[in-house]
């Protein structure tokens, strides 16, 4: 069984419950250190294969998930798995879609929906959640 992330490693978001999840941009080299047990990839096209378990959410750049029900299910799984496993969430640049998904994980972890974007901007990246419709998606996430 995999362990969780080192909270001091780059790109690691600490959720209020003590769970950790890594956000990153797929256009950048894979960070040094341990590999994830589960990767959640947010892309308009099928992402490249990885040697670990992966889920793909069809999510075009600057947009919203094509299937919000599937996105919700996969994000719930990611949140549950990050108790014991290394989970990463990644899109092309690691900001808009990744930040939006991380804000949804923060909501699942108990952050009020109206505060989730600010939480992720403070604890992950100030550029997270890039569009008004991404902010509305977070506000409506359950």
């Amino acid at each position: 069984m995999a362990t969780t992330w080192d909270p001091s490693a780059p790109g690691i978001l600490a959720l209020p419950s003590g769970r950790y999840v890594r956000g990153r941009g797929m256009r950048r080299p894979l960070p040094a250190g341990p590999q994830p047990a589960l990767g959640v990839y947010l892309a308009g096209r099928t992402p490249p294969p990885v040697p670990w378990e992966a889920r793909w959410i069809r999510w075009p750049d600057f947009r919203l998930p094509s299937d919000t029900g599937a996105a919700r299910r996969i994000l719930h799984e990611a949140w549950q798995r990050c108790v014991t496993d290394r989970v990463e969430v990644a899109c092309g640049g690691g900001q808009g879609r990744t930040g939006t998904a991380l804000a949804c994980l923060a909501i699942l972890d108990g952050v009020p929906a109206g505060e989730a974007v600010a939480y992720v901007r403070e604890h992950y990246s100030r550029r997270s959640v890039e569009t008004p419709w991404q902010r509305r998606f977070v506000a409506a996430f359950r």
Side-chain angles (χ1 to χ4, degrees), residues 23-107:
R24 74 175 181 96
M26 292 187 290
R27 290 191 298 262
R28 295 188 201 108
L30 189 65
Q35 295 181 340
L38 174 67
V40 176
Y41 301 104
L42 319 166
R45 297 182 184 164
T46 307
V50 291
W52 49 82
E53 193 176 349
R55 305 285 181 271
W56 171 41
I57 299 174
R58 183 181 300 273
W59 193 330
D61 202 6
F62 297 105
R63 306 279 183 196
L64 297 176
S66 299
D67 181 341
T68 57
R72 213 172 252 111
R73 285 189 300 278
I74 292 168
L75 292 174
H76 273 268
E77 177 190 3
W79 178 73
Q80 291 169 340
R81 295 268 307 264
C82 68
V83 170
T84 57
D85 291 336
R86 287 185 208 90
V87 174
E88 81 169 1
V89 175
C91 66
Q95 301 297 323
R97 293 168 286 178
T98 296
T100 302
L102 293 175
C104 293
L105 295 179
I107 290 168

Side-chain angles (χ1 to χ4, degrees), residues 5 19 23 30 35 37 55 80 84 101 103 105 108 111 120 123 125:
W5 296 109
R19 298 170 197 221
L30 189 65
Q35 295 181 340
R55 305 285 181 271
Q80 291 169 340
T84 57
L105 295 179
L108 293 175
V111 175
V120 171
H123 299 284
S125 171

